Amino acid sequence: MAKADRLERLDNRRIELEAEYRAALIEALERTAAGKWGLFDHQRDRHARAAVRPTLDHLAELAEEIDAARSRLALPSFALHAEFLAARGPVGPSAVGEPKQAQAWLERLAADDAADD
């Protein structure tokens, strides 16, 4: 019974961490949608990178904790963080800017929330 209790506590903690990650990501996306570049690292600007580094570090730390919990619970890795990392980096000249990309992410996350309800 103790093992089941520990696993339940771990799963509850995982759920809390995932909610915290999602909230932090949404906050960062809202800043980017409002015109603050750097979250997606399209321009490889060192000043923008430095400004967004604390946010990226926080997201990475949360994702690491989430993946550790998911691993212990025999769940697949945390897909949202992997998708976010895949969306970062240089893009071609015809790609949308970071504010539009952030807005698209916000719309997708809102749609995911609506589908979950």
Side-chain angles (χ1 to χ4, degrees):
M1 197 65 173
K3 182 177 181 178
D5 289 340
R6 280 194 312 273
L7 291 176
E8 183 179 0
R9 283 193 307 273
L10 180 60
D11 195 37
N12 288 337
R13 178 68 179 141
R14 174 196 61 84
I15 291 167
E16 291 171 4
L17 287 168
E18 288 180 5
E20 185 179 341
Y21 180 95
R22 190 176 186 86
L25 180 60
I26 287 171
E27 184 180 318
L29 290 168
E30 287 172 343
R31 279 193 310 270
T32 303
K36 183 82 173 162
W37 284 65
L39 184 63
F40 291 104
D41 199 25
H42 285 189
Q43 297 177 330
R44 296 196 173 260
D45 176 86
R46 67 184 173 113
H47 297 293
R49 281 180 172 171
V52 78
R53 177 60 41 207
T55 299
L56 295 173
D57 289 345
H58 180 64
L59 290 171
E61 288 170 13
L62 288 171
E64 194 173 293
E65 284 185 68
I66 292 166
D67 276 337
R70 283 178 157 269
S71 176
R72 289 192 54 211
L73 293 164
L75 295 172
S77 64
F78 187 50
L80 183 59
H81 185 64
E83 292 167 12
F84 171 67
L85 291 178
R88 296 189 77 243
V91 295
S94 62
V96 299
E98 287 192 27
K100 285 187 179 181
Q101 185 176 7
Q103 187 59 47
W105 268 76
L106 288 168
E107 290 168 6
R108 184 188 121 206
L109 292 174
D112 289 350
D113 286 345
D116 289 344
D117 290 342

